[in-house]
Amino acid sequence: MATAPFAPFEWMIAWRYLRARRAEGGVSTMTWISLIGITLAVFALIATLSVRSGFRAEFVDTILGANAHVTVYQIGQVDEAGRIDRTIADYDTTAAALQVLPGVTRAAPLVRGQVMANLRSRNAGVEVFGLSATNLGTLPRIADPETSQGDITRFEQGVAIGSGVARELGAQVGDRIKLISPNGVRTAFGTSPRINAYEVTYIFSAGRYDIDRTRVYLPLAEAQSFFNRENVVDEIEVMVETPEAVDSYLASILMTAGERAQVWTWRDASGGFLRALEVEDNVMFIIMSILVLIAAMNIVSGLIMLVKNKGRDIGILRTMGLSEGSILRVFFICGAFTGVIGTAFGVILGCLFAVYIDPIFSVLMGGDWTPEKYGLYSLPAELHLDDVLSAVALSLGLSFIVTIFPARRAARMNPVEALRYE
């Protein structure tokens, strides 16, 4: 009897088999196990993908929001005193030339050095970035009023410190902290440490503990004086419109910066971590895919049991005129139905987990999330449509594929043999 594929009666028979109790030859318990297994596997896959995407996005965003996309510096030359000099003298001209390049959004001269910060007998090692007030205001993660304290417009009158530095020193806006540099005042008897006190006018949070814990911004002119960099800077920070395509800007930047210029991109600084993160992403996806496959194999077990219990029914249906294709589709619907419902529930649970990950982990960890240990202030998770679609495609694909084999076995069953042994 030739019928259209997936005719209504095929759906009706499949639905009766799915609802049948064990005493009637059904495998409802095995169906439930298969459904729960698919649900948990898809939930785990979406949760893993969302956390993976969140970590990468958070890491890249904090790098791009608080650091230069490209750092321009010069090859060192030996000065008259025999020291290697890597400073940039014509930094204003170079920065202005870089600023007008296509795709460049910011070019800021910078002085940097490591010092000791002190307040009321509490000390902290910090890295000082000497930057003009105008350029400081163009750093997205630093100049965010929602995550900062104080007035950034008063930056020229003091210093801006990270929230981790403030916590380590017990500093608040208005306090005066001391910066102590071992390479200070040059005298006839050598170099003596330089100690200057500055008012804390601004406290920022870049979103990463390692930045907030170590970074201090000082006005450029004051930093040049403090680090003996009169009329020179150490490097020029450059930001571009498309940081992901930073390599495409390097040729024009090098040409503009001069023959002694060298560049260091954010990918160079964090390339090892990003590559490790990419490898971990791929490995985790493979592991989660295996988990989905194991869950899908439960469907095979349930269908094999169903085919065995329904052997007499298969023989009767075949003698009534049902084709092998109809029998195959009936049992395919039984297995695919479990995969579809389990996938749907898994997607719902996974999406809810990604959306409410902060309160969930607050409960699970008792609020014990330490930024000192993890480098982030909260567990990031981002729900992307392509991640959800890849999880759905993987789950449904595996469910449909593994269902074909027991359904094909049922379709090829000899009706005479089935009725004889039943």
Side-chain angles (χ1 to χ4, degrees):
M1 182 174 66
T3 58
F6 298 102
F9 73 88
E10 296 173 357
W11 289 91
M12 181 190 68
I13 296 172
W15 179 241
R16 286 177 62 87
Y17 286 170
L18 286 170
R19 290 187 301 129
R21 297 190 298 271
R22 188 177 185 85
E24 299 173 355
V27 283
S28 57
T29 302
M30 204 66 193
T31 301
W32 278 106
I33 293 175
S34 302
L35 189 147
I36 293 173
I38 291 290
T39 298
L40 294 179
V42 174
F43 159 70
L45 180 58
I46 292 179
T48 301
L49 292 177
S50 64
V51 173
R52 179 198 70 177
S53 299
F55 263 109
R56 178 179 174 81
E58 181 72 15
F59 182 78
V60 173
D61 183 56
T62 51
I63 291 176
L64 302 182
N67 296 302
H69 303 163
V70 181
T71 299
V72 178
Y73 62 97
Q74 289 191 349
I75 300 174
Q77 289 185 333
V78 180
D79 60 13
E80 296 177 355
R83 295 185 298 263
I84 296 179
D85 182 16
R86 297 178 56 183
T87 59
I88 303 174
D90 55 343
Y91 58 89
D92 282 332
T93 303
T94 304
L98 292 171
Q99 182 75 56
V100 298
L101 289 177
V104 174
T105 60
R106 175 179 179 269
L110 177 72
V111 171
R112 63 193 303 175
Q114 295 181 345
V115 301
M116 179 73 73
N118 171 270
L119 177 64
R120 293 188 287 269
S121 301
R122 301 179 69 172
N123 300 310
V126 299
E127 187 171 18
V128 174
F129 285 57
L131 206 62
S132 69
T134 302
N135 289 321
L136 181 69
T138 59
L139 288 172
R141 283 275 183 158
I142 304 301
D144 186 356
E146 295 183 1
T147 59
S148 62
Q149 305 174 38
D151 186 3
I152 196 172
T153 60
R154 296 187 61 242
F155 169 63
E156 292 284 356
Q157 303 171 26
V159 293
I161 66 175
S163 58
V165 177
R167 184 166 51 251
E168 186 75 12
L169 296 176
Q172 299 179 353
V173 174
D175 288 340
R176 294 185 66 83
I177 65 172
K178 294 179 181 179
L179 298 184
I180 306 169
S181 172
N183 299 321
V185 182
R186 295 170 183 165
T187 66
F189 302 98
T191 302
S192 62
R194 172 174 279 134
I195 303 175
N196 287 358
Y198 301 97
E199 179 186 354
V200 176
T201 58
Y202 188 69
I203 300 176
F204 61 85
S205 176
R208 274 184 58 188
Y209 182 79
D210 56 340
I211 293 177
D212 296 338
R213 170 63 184 77
T214 60
R215 189 165 298 186
V216 171
Y217 284 97
L218 195 64
L220 179 60
E222 185 61 34
Q224 288 175 315
S225 174
F226 188 80
F227 291 110
N228 300 319
R229 300 287 198 277
E230 286 80 5
N231 302 317
V232 297
V233 298
D234 293 313
E235 58 197 41
I236 297 177
E237 289 187 337
V238 178
M239 287 191 170
V240 296
E241 291 179 351
T242 312
E244 294 288 347
V246 67
D247 292 340
S248 63
Y249 301 94
L250 299 185
S252 59
I253 290 175
L254 282 170
M255 186 179 299
T256 304
E259 59 182 13
R260 290 180 55 213
Q262 295 289 315
V263 295
W264 181 260
T265 71
W266 71 274
R267 286 189 181 277
D268 296 327
S270 306
F273 184 87
L274 290 175
R275 285 190 293 271
L277 195 62
E278 184 177 353
V279 172
E280 184 182 10
D281 290 348
N282 295 333
V283 171
M284 288 303 298
F285 184 82
I286 293 173
I287 293 174
M288 291 296 105
S289 300
I290 294 174
L291 181 62
V292 176
L293 177 60
I294 294 174
M297 295 302 292
N298 287 329
I299 299 177
V300 177
S301 303
L303 276 184
I304 291 175
M305 294 176 61
L306 182 62
V307 170
K308 181 179 179 181
N309 293 339
K310 296 298 183 180
R312 182 171 179 271
D313 291 10
I314 294 172
I316 294 174
L317 291 172
R318 289 297 309 279
T319 57
M320 292 175 60
L322 261 70
S323 64
E324 289 187 5
S326 292
I327 297 297
L328 185 146
R329 288 189 291 272
V330 166
F331 287 95
F332 177 82
I333 291 172
C334 292
F337 179 83
T338 303
V340 171
I341 298 301
T343 300
F345 285 149
V347 168
I348 293 173
L349 290 178
C351 293
L352 290 175
F353 176 85
V355 172
Y356 297 103
I357 189 169
D358 283 338
I360 290 174
F361 264 80
S362 295
V363 174
L364 294 178
M365 301 183 67
D368 186 23
W369 179 276
T370 55
E372 297 91 341
K373 180 178 180 180
Y374 300 104
L376 298 170
Y377 291 100
S378 62
L379 181 64
E382 283 194 2
L383 192 62
H384 295 294
L385 180 61
D386 54 348
D387 289 339
V388 176
L389 292 179
S390 63
V392 171
L394 178 65
S395 176
L396 294 182
L398 292 176
S399 300
F400 292 169
I401 290 172
V402 300
T403 299
I404 292 175
F405 299 102
R408 195 161 171 262
R409 177 184 174 186
R412 291 190 170 186
M413 185 177 293
N414 189 322
V416 176
E417 296 295 325
L419 292 174
R420 176 187 298 175
Y421 291 107
E422 287 293 332

